[in-house]
């Protein structure tokens, strides 16, 4: 009986290794995405240190961008399962995301405001056609002469004329129009920044969906292991080789794994809905993620080069500079309200008692308007625009400092994440060895299954940490692209496994093909003994 149990355990180990190798290889093709801070598998990590919980996909977006979590749904759900690539998701997000749509409408509003400012500088011309019938009361004019009629008429009056006015010289209106032009530029820059934000939101949600799928696979593999352990404990109890308490403990662990699978599947479905909402897809549409983002190391980043590139390319910084220039022009327009202005006005048309007796009629005037007393309006405008100018200057200075912080934070996160991948890979290898040895000891009757259950919990924790570290590395690359201001161009490359960076941000002599300090080499995550992050044994016979 002992020999039979030993054979069964060895067979179970071989099955574990075969499935584990496949799952481990597939996990390398996954960019482990944002892991929820209250994830179901995190509860299984009862021993060993764990990585700090990562934020949700929405928390990655640092601004108040709630609209970027929504979209304008397009089409109806079908029974077909759509294959959704990262390129398709990004393209849909850039077309239908609500935040980007609202930003586009804000740009349209700014353009309309500029046209309104321009109208103050252009001639204002209107035409009119009038037909009148009049009777004049002469007594109302004081004309009361003997034998003179008290009224005349009725008589007709026909007039066709055009009236126009034009501010020939109004320096305040000129600066207001220039300020409106800078506001349009700021809105356009904000629109480009919104596109980068949509790329970040779509990429983060896509990666998070991949991570949830990986969690479901991991939980199902752990469930199969728990099922195999329970059946082995039950067989040993039946054979009189183990007490009932071992079977009960195995049953409790099996129940816990079943709960973990249910929770992981529920989280996956909710995350699929979140991704669909971001890209404008019906929440009822079934889809399958095609891309599995491979792990790719990144060369050393030159901090100064990355910072200079960020200042030159980030759309939000360009928008802040445009808003600052607009505030300067509005302040200039405010004090120019004290200056004189020149206006021209005129009327030209034909006038007559009858349409067949029309005669030209015109008038022209030029006016020099000199402000003398306006009740403190100009002074109030100056103080208001000066306060706005100081606000815009402070915001621009703060954004410049925050860009430097974003760049340095993203570089630090990238280096730390690369180190975490290596550490997590080693920890996963060790955890798998512990599980294998504890299963051997339990099958040999050396120990009870408490040791096996603890080893399984440690393996679940190590697997979760490995997924977390992979996510941290991939999302750090996405955030680096966002921080240096070219997310839309670089994220697709990153999520396709291409770690190419602009030459200006790469440290000289640090090729992209070689590992950098603190970063693991570009190799698969398969441990030395070819075991997997999530064992998936067959049930023992």
């Amino acid at each position: 009986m002992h020999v039979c149990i030993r054979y069964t355990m060895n067979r179970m180990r071989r099955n574990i290794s075969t499935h584990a190798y496949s799952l481990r290889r597939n996990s390398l093709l996954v960019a482990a995405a944002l892991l929820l801070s209250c994830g179901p598998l995190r509860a299984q990590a009862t021993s060993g240190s764990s990585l700090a919980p990562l934020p949700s996909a929405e928390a990655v977006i640092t601004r108040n961008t709630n609209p970027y979590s929504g979209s304008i749904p397009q089409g109806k759900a079908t029974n077909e399962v759509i294959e959704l690539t990262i390129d398709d998701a990004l393209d849909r997000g850039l077309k239908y995301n609500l935040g980007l749509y609202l930003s586009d409408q804000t740009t349209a509003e700014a353009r309309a405001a500029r046209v309104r400012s321009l109208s103050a500088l252009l001639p204002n011309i209107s035409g009119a056609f009038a037909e009148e019938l009049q009777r004049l009361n002469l007594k109302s004019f004081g004309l009361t002469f003997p034998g003179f009629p008290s009224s005349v008429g009725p008589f007709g009056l026909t007039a066709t004329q055009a009236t126009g006015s034009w501010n020939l010289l109004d320096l305040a209106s000129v600066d207001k129009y220039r300020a409106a032009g800078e506001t349009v530029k700021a809105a356009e820059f904000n629109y480009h920044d919104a596109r980068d934000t949509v790329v970040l939101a779509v990429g983060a949600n896509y990666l998070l969906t991949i991570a949830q799928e990986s969690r479901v696979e991991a939980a199902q593999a752990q469930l199969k292991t728990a099922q195999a352990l329970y059946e082995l404990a039950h067989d040993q109890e039946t054979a009189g080789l183990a007490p009932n308490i071992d079977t009960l403990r195995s049953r409790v662990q099996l129940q816990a794994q079943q709960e973990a699978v249910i929770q992981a599947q529920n989280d996956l479905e909710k995350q699929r809905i979140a991704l669909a909402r971001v890209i404008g897809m019906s929440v009822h549409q079934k889809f399958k993620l095609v891309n599995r983002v491979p792990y790719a190391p990144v060369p050393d980043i030159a901090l100064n080069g990355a910072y200079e590139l960020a200042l030159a390319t980030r759309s939000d910084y360009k928008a802040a500079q445009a808003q600052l220039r607009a505030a300067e022009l509005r302040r200039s327009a405010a004090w120019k309200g004290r200056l004189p202005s020149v206006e021209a006005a005129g009327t030209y048309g034909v006038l007559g008692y009858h349409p067949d007796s029309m005669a030209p009629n015109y008038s022209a005037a030029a006016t020099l308007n000199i402000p003398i007393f306006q009740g403190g309006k100009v002074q109030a405008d100056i103080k208001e625009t000066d306060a706005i100018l100081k606000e815009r200057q402070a915001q621009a200075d703060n954004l410049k400092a925050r860009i430097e912080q974003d760049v340095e934070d993203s570089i630090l996160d990238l280096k730390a994440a690369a180190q975490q991948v290596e550490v997590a890979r080693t920890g996963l290898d060790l955890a798998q060895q512990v599980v294998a040895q504890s299963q051997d000891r339990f099958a040999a009757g050396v120990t009870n299954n408490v040791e096996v259950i603890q080893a399984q919990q440690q393996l679940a924790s190590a697997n979760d940490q490995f997924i977390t570290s992979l996510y941290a590395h991939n999302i750090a690359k996405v955030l680096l692209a966002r921080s240096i201001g070219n997310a839309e161009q670089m994220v697709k490359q990153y999520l396709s496994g291409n770690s190419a960076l602009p030459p200006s941000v790469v440290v000289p002599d640090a090729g992209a093909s070689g590992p950098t300090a603190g970063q693991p080499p570009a190799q698969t995550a398969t441990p030395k003994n070819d075991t997997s992050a999530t064992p998936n044994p067959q049930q023992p016979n």
Side-chain angles (χ1 to χ4, degrees):
M1 180 62 69
H2 176 73
V3 175
C4 180
I5 295 175
R6 181 70 177 185
Y7 169 78
T8 301
M9 202 65 196
N10 287 337
R11 181 179 179 182
M12 184 175 70
R13 286 183 57 194
R14 287 195 299 270
N15 292 330
I16 290 174
S17 179
T18 301
H19 177 79
Y21 173 78
S22 175
L23 188 56
R24 177 61 178 263
R25 182 178 58 184
N26 290 337
S27 67
L28 264 193
L29 302 178
V30 175
L34 294 166
L35 300 178
L36 300 176
S37 59
C38 56
L41 298 185
R42 181 70 66 184
Q44 299 178 4
T46 57
S47 62
S49 61
S50 60
L51 300 177
L54 295 172
S56 63
E58 291 79 6
V60 173
I61 310 171
T62 58
R63 298 175 183 80
N64 183 20
T65 52
N66 291 334
Y68 293 97
S69 297
S71 61
I72 304 174
Q74 301 293 318
K76 297 182 179 180
T78 63
N79 295 328
E80 180 185 2
V81 178
I82 299 176
E83 292 188 351
L84 186 65
T85 66
I86 184 62
D87 289 345
D88 294 338
L90 290 173
D91 291 341
R92 290 183 64 92
L94 292 173
K95 288 180 181 179
Y96 309 124
N97 187 270
L98 178 61
L100 187 60
Y101 176 81
L102 296 180
S103 178
D104 187 35
Q105 300 309 307
T106 301
T107 304
E109 293 174 4
R111 293 193 181 102
R114 181 178 60 178
V115 174
R116 186 180 299 109
S117 299
L118 178 62
S119 66
L121 300 174
L122 298 178
N124 188 352
I125 302 174
S126 59
F129 174 80
E131 182 74 28
E132 297 183 10
L133 182 65
Q134 296 185 4
R135 182 181 181 86
L136 298 179
N137 187 355
L138 298 180
K139 292 183 179 180
S140 63
F141 295 98
L143 301 176
T144 55
F145 301 103
F148 198 81
S150 60
S151 62
V152 294
F155 56 87
L157 182 64
T158 302
T160 301
Q161 61 184 10
T163 303
S165 61
W166 188 9
N167 288 327
L168 296 177
L169 179 61
D170 189 349
L171 298 180
S173 296
V174 171
D175 282 348
K176 289 179 180 178
Y177 172 69
R178 294 173 60 194
E182 292 296 331
T183 301
V184 171
K185 291 181 180 179
E188 292 173 347
F189 286 132
N190 283 329
Y191 174 76
H192 290 295
D193 183 67
R195 291 181 67 90
D196 284 349
T197 304
V198 169
V199 170
L200 177 61
V202 174
N205 278 278
Y206 195 95
L207 291 172
L208 182 54
T209 305
I210 295 175
Q212 293 295 354
E213 290 180 350
S214 180
R215 281 188 155 187
V216 170
E217 294 173 0
Q220 290 173 343
Q222 291 291 335
L223 177 61
K224 292 180 179 179
T225 301
Q227 180 68 35
L229 179 63
Y230 168 71
E231 293 180 358
L232 180 60
H234 182 269
D235 292 342
Q236 288 186 338
E237 180 189 1
T238 302
L241 300 176
N244 178 257
I245 187 63
D246 285 348
T247 305
L248 292 177
R249 278 194 294 260
S250 299
R251 183 62 183 272
V252 171
Q253 179 68 11
L254 178 60
Q255 294 294 118
Q257 291 299 332
Q258 290 174 343
E259 294 177 0
V261 170
I262 295 173
Q263 184 63 47
Q265 291 174 338
N266 183 63
D267 291 341
L268 173 59
E269 292 304 317
K270 291 194 295 184
Q271 180 52 39
R272 285 178 174 272
I273 293 175
L275 175 59
R277 289 285 296 121
V278 170
I279 63 177
M281 185 179 291
S282 172
V283 297
H284 303 293
Q285 179 63 55
K286 300 299 181 182
F287 59 87
K288 175 184 178 182
L289 301 187
V290 175
N291 294 93
R292 289 297 184 267
V293 183
Y295 172 80
V298 177
D300 284 334
I301 307 298
L303 179 60
N304 292 335
Y307 177 59
E308 293 175 359
L309 180 62
L311 292 180
T313 59
R314 279 189 57 157
S315 298
D316 55 348
Y317 185 66
K318 293 180 180 179
Q321 293 294 318
Q323 289 285 10
L324 178 60
R325 291 191 295 270
E328 292 173 346
L329 290 170
R330 289 193 179 94
R331 188 185 184 283
S332 176
W335 72 261
K336 287 180 180 178
R338 293 172 173 168
L339 301 179
S341 61
V342 178
E343 180 181 1
T347 301
Y348 181 84
V350 289
L351 181 68
Y353 291 106
H354 299 286
D356 55 353
S357 61
M358 306 290 281
N361 180 60
Y362 61 88
S363 65
T367 305
L368 176 63
N369 297 315
I370 303 176
I372 298 177
F373 177 73
Q374 295 178 308
K377 176 181 179 299
V378 174
Q379 185 64 25
D381 291 343
I382 292 175
K383 290 183 178 181
E384 180 183 5
T385 54
D386 188 61
I388 295 175
L389 175 60
K390 292 179 180 178
E391 291 177 4
R392 296 291 183 266
Q393 183 65 61
Q395 291 171 351
D397 293 341
N398 174 70
L399 180 57
K400 184 176 181 180
R402 185 162 64 83
I403 288 174
E404 185 175 11
Q405 178 185 359
D406 290 346
V407 171
E408 190 157 0
D409 286 348
S410 61
I411 293 175
L412 291 174
D413 289 342
L414 189 60
K415 291 181 178 179
Q419 296 172 356
Q420 289 173 355
V421 171
E422 183 66 20
V423 173
R425 180 163 50 220
T426 302
L428 184 59
D429 186 13
L430 296 175
Q432 290 164 350
Q433 296 180 34
V434 171
V435 169
Q437 293 182 16
S438 63
Q439 288 175 340
D440 287 343
R441 287 165 55 82
F442 176 62
V446 177
T447 182
N448 57 26
N449 62 354
V450 173
E451 180 179 318
V452 180
I453 292 174
Q454 290 177 345
Q456 289 176 335
Q457 292 173 343
Q458 292 173 357
L459 178 60
S461 175
N463 184 65
D464 196 50
Q465 291 181 26
F466 183 68
I467 294 175
T468 303
S469 64
L470 284 176
Y471 155 72
H473 188 266
N474 282 280
I475 200 63
K477 292 192 292 185
V478 174
L479 292 175
L480 175 63
R482 181 69 177 88
S483 66
I484 62 179
N486 58 351
E488 186 175 353
Q489 293 76 20
M490 295 181 63
V491 166
K492 288 185 179 181
Q493 299 181 30
Y494 281 156
L495 297 183
S496 299
N498 183 1
S499 59
L501 289 169
S504 60
V505 304
V506 178
V507 175
D509 299 329
S513 59
T516 62
Q519 293 181 330
Q523 60 183 15
T524 60
T526 305
K528 297 178 181 179
N529 60 354
D530 285 345
T531 54
S532 161
T534 49
N536 184 20
Q538 295 181 352
Q539 299 179 2
N541 295 325

